[in-house]
Amino acid sequence: SLGKIEAECHAVFAPLPSANPTLQGALETLKKLRAGKDGKQRVLYLPDWTALVCNSCNAEVKVIDAFYTVFLAALTALDENLMKGVLVLKQSEAILADPSNYWISVINAGRYF
Protein backbone atom coordinates (compact mmCIF):
# COMPACT_ATOMS: atom_id res chain seq x y z
CA SER A 1 0.00 0.00 0.00
CA LEU A 2 1.37 3.37 -1.00
CA GLY A 3 -0.63 5.38 1.48
CA LYS A 4 -2.08 8.79 0.92
CA ILE A 5 -0.02 11.71 -0.23
CA GLU A 6 -1.24 15.01 1.12
CA ALA A 7 -2.05 17.78 -1.35
CA GLU A 8 0.37 20.26 0.23
CA CYS A 9 3.18 17.82 0.89
CA HIS A 10 6.85 18.66 0.58
CA ALA A 11 8.07 16.45 -2.29
CA VAL A 12 11.75 15.92 -3.01
CA PHE A 13 13.06 14.04 -6.03
CA ALA A 14 16.00 11.73 -5.36
CA PRO A 15 18.90 11.97 -7.78
CA LEU A 16 19.14 9.58 -10.70
CA PRO A 17 21.31 6.54 -9.98
CA SER A 18 25.01 6.71 -10.69
CA ALA A 19 27.87 4.24 -10.61
CA ASN A 20 29.68 6.83 -8.48
CA PRO A 21 27.29 8.01 -5.76
CA THR A 22 28.52 10.84 -3.58
CA LEU A 23 28.04 11.93 0.00
CA GLN A 24 27.19 15.35 -1.42
CA GLY A 25 24.14 13.89 -3.20
CA ALA A 26 22.84 12.43 0.07
CA LEU A 27 23.50 15.64 2.00
CA GLU A 28 21.73 17.76 -0.63
CA THR A 29 18.71 15.46 -0.51
CA LEU A 30 18.58 15.69 3.29
CA LYS A 31 18.83 19.48 3.09
CA LYS A 32 15.87 19.56 0.70
CA LEU A 33 13.85 17.23 2.95
CA ARG A 34 14.60 19.39 6.01
CA ALA A 35 13.35 22.46 4.13
CA GLY A 36 9.78 21.16 4.39
CA LYS A 37 7.48 22.92 6.81
CA ASP A 38 6.87 21.22 10.13
CA GLY A 39 3.52 19.48 10.18
CA LYS A 40 3.51 18.91 6.42
CA GLN A 41 4.11 15.49 4.95
CA ARG A 42 7.58 14.93 3.49
CA VAL A 43 7.81 12.67 0.43
CA LEU A 44 10.99 11.36 -1.16
CA TYR A 45 10.27 10.33 -4.76
CA LEU A 46 12.58 7.72 -6.28
CA PRO A 47 12.46 8.11 -10.08
CA ASP A 48 13.35 4.51 -10.95
CA TRP A 49 11.45 4.42 -14.26
CA THR A 50 12.92 7.75 -15.28
CA ALA A 51 16.34 6.23 -14.55
CA LEU A 52 15.57 3.43 -17.00
CA VAL A 53 14.53 5.86 -19.72
CA CYS A 54 17.59 8.06 -19.13
CA ASN A 55 19.86 4.99 -19.24
CA SER A 56 21.19 5.56 -15.73
CA CYS A 57 23.49 2.71 -14.73
CA ASN A 58 23.02 1.22 -18.21
CA ALA A 59 19.30 0.86 -17.44
CA GLU A 60 19.97 -2.22 -15.31
CA VAL A 61 16.95 -2.63 -13.02
CA LYS A 62 18.88 -4.51 -10.33
CA VAL A 63 21.60 -1.85 -10.28
CA ILE A 64 19.05 0.97 -10.09
CA ASP A 65 17.26 -0.78 -7.22
CA ALA A 66 20.58 -1.38 -5.46
CA PHE A 67 21.51 2.29 -5.82
CA TYR A 68 18.28 3.40 -4.16
CA THR A 69 18.63 0.79 -1.41
CA VAL A 70 22.12 2.09 -0.57
CA PHE A 71 20.99 5.71 -0.99
CA LEU A 72 18.11 5.25 1.48
CA ALA A 73 20.42 3.47 3.93
CA ALA A 74 22.84 6.41 3.72
CA LEU A 75 20.06 8.95 4.30
CA THR A 76 18.84 6.97 7.31
CA ALA A 77 22.37 6.65 8.72
CA LEU A 78 22.92 10.40 8.34
CA ASP A 79 19.57 11.51 9.83
CA GLU A 80 17.46 8.68 11.19
CA ASN A 81 14.96 10.94 12.96
CA LEU A 82 14.18 12.87 9.79
CA MET A 83 13.87 9.74 7.66
CA LYS A 84 11.39 8.18 10.10
CA GLY A 85 8.90 10.84 9.04
CA VAL A 86 9.55 10.64 5.29
CA LEU A 87 7.27 8.72 2.95
CA VAL A 88 9.45 7.05 0.30
CA LEU A 89 7.64 6.61 -3.00
CA LYS A 90 9.05 4.72 -5.97
CA GLN A 91 7.87 5.95 -9.34
CA SER A 92 7.20 2.41 -10.59
CA GLU A 93 5.02 1.57 -7.57
CA ALA A 94 3.08 4.84 -7.85
CA ILE A 95 2.33 4.27 -11.52
CA LEU A 96 1.37 0.62 -11.09
CA ALA A 97 -0.89 1.41 -8.12
CA ASP A 98 -3.40 2.98 -10.51
CA PRO A 99 -2.40 2.13 -14.10
CA SER A 100 -5.72 3.19 -15.58
CA ASN A 101 -5.34 6.78 -14.43
CA TYR A 102 -1.68 6.74 -15.46
CA TRP A 103 -2.54 5.82 -19.04
CA ILE A 104 -5.38 8.33 -19.13
CA SER A 105 -2.90 11.05 -18.15
CA VAL A 106 -0.45 9.85 -20.84
CA ILE A 107 -3.20 9.99 -23.47
CA ASN A 108 -4.28 13.44 -22.30
CA ALA A 109 -0.68 14.69 -22.42
CA GLY A 110 -0.40 13.33 -25.96
CA ARG A 111 -3.56 15.14 -26.95
CA TYR A 112 -2.18 18.37 -25.56
CA PHE A 113 1.02 18.19 -27.60
Side-chain angles (χ1 to χ4, degrees):
S1 173
L2 293 177
K4 298 245 181 195
I5 297 174
E6 297 170 7
E8 295 183 15
C9 71
H10 180 76
V12 174
F13 285 73
L16 291 176
S18 165
N20 300 310
T22 64
L23 176 59
Q24 185 66 31
L27 293 174
E28 287 174 1
T29 301
L30 287 172
K31 181 178 179 181
K32 291 173 185 175
L33 286 168
R34 288 185 193 114
K37 294 180 182 176
D38 288 337
K40 296 291 182 184
Q41 184 183 39
R42 289 178 169 93
V43 178
L44 178 60
Y45 188 77
L46 307 180
D48 58 337
W49 277 14
T50 299
L52 284 169
V53 173
C54 292
N55 203 30
S56 294
C57 296
N58 293 322
E60 293 285 339
V61 175
K62 288 182 180 180
V63 177
I64 292 168
D65 286 342
F67 172 88
Y68 284 126
T69 298
V70 171
F71 187 72
L72 290 173
L75 295 178
T76 302
L78 291 166
D79 196 337
E80 185 175 2
N81 288 332
L82 175 67
M83 290 306 294
K84 284 180 185 177
V86 173
L87 172 66
V88 177
L89 180 62
K90 284 180 77 174
Q91 183 179 24
S92 57
E93 292 173 0
I95 290 170
L96 294 176
D98 192 359
S100 179
N101 278 336
Y102 167 74
W103 286 111
I104 288 169
S105 69
V106 169
I107 291 166
N108 287 337
R111 287 179 181 157
Y112 179 77
F113 294 103

